[in-house]
Amino acid sequence: MSGRPAIVASLVLGALALQPAHAAADRLAPLLACRALGDAAARLECFDRESARLAAPVAASTPPAAAPLTPEQKFGLDTKAVAAKESEAGHPRAEVDAVSAKLTALNTLADGRAVYTLDNGQIWRTLSPGPDLLLAVGDTVRVTRGVLGSYALVLKSGRTVKVMRVR
């Protein structure tokens, strides 16, 4: 039995070292109340129970919230995924109707659909193969929100093509 007081003392000191003073006092109150019990068996049971509670890991604090996505970064992404990510981080939703950016890369897939990489990091792909829009790297394009969750890539000339965001 001589080892139990040393274990209890170690737990108490450990709890004090890990907690701010007021929080440690709140956590130690039930343990200190065990001293008032007259029956040795009940007192030992109380000390065992309360020392086990103190030895349990303290709930980890929540990690700092990630910076919210800008409306431009969210533009064109799946709305359910954006909503879930924003609700986790506790950020309000903000919407934009269009994004303008410069074309940094232009590729054509084997099936004839075009892939547009913009200077803001977004990548858009046409929904179906179509005619060459005569775009060149460095041209400014605008992606606008359409109806029913659709998007269109709009050129300076006013020509448009339906696109979906890849990344």
Side-chain angles (χ1 to χ4, degrees), residues 108-134:
T108 304
L109 300 175
D111 63 3
R113 293 181 295 165
V115 178
Y116 307 101
T117 304
L118 307 180
D119 65 353
N120 63 7
Q122 295 178 358
I123 300 175
W124 296 83
R125 182 186 70 221
T126 57
L127 296 181
S128 59
D132 186 7
L133 295 177
L134 303 174

Side-chain angles (χ1 to χ4, degrees), residues 47-117:
F47 272 118
D48 286 345
R49 179 183 64 248
E50 294 303 322
S51 63
R53 183 182 58 80
L54 284 174
V58 178
S61 62
T62 57
L69 295 174
T70 65
E72 186 175 85
Q73 290 171 326
K74 293 184 283 186
F75 184 75
L77 289 177
D78 177 61
T79 55
K80 289 180 184 176
V82 171
K85 186 171 187 157
E86 287 177 341
S87 67
E88 286 173 8
H91 300 295
R93 295 197 65 190
E95 299 284 333
V96 295
D97 291 324
V99 173
S100 292
K102 288 193 181 287
L103 191 65
T104 59
L106 174 61
N107 298 304
T108 304
L109 300 175
D111 63 3
R113 293 181 295 165
V115 178
Y116 307 101
T117 304

